[in-house]
Amino acid sequence: MSEPKIAATTPCKVVLEAGKTYYYCTCGNSAGQPWCDGSHKGTGFAPKPFTAEKDGNAFLCQCKHSGNAPFCDGSHSSL
């Protein structure tokens, strides 16, 4: 698998907790989008860990083409 699966063409609104580490799905196969559930095994993809800088809402990319992953940058609009 060289290209990620497009999980959705809209971002996912999530609530993040400052200081907490999250594992973002980069392959698009996870059933629990946008979070990694291990479905990437054997694909060459790996989860993207990130630590929330502040409490609050965030919009995470589900098309897996954002240049600012895990955050949505609107790339889905050109797919």
Side-chain angles (χ1 to χ4, degrees), residues 45-71:
F45 286 92
K48 179 178 180 77
F50 73 98
T51 302
E53 294 180 8
K54 59 183 180 178
D55 289 333
N57 295 333
F59 291 89
L60 301 188
C61 173
Q62 294 190 99
C63 77
K64 311 305 175 185
H65 287 81
S66 175
N68 189 33
F71 303 101

Side-chain angles (χ1 to χ4, degrees), residues 14-49:
V14 297
V15 178
L16 301 178
E17 189 178 314
K20 184 175 178 180
T21 299
Y22 297 89
Y23 294 87
Y24 169 74
C25 170
T26 62
C27 71
N29 292 323
S30 176
Q33 290 294 327
W35 312 120
C36 177
D37 68 3
S39 296
H40 63 275
K41 291 191 181 4
T43 66
F45 286 92
K48 179 178 180 77

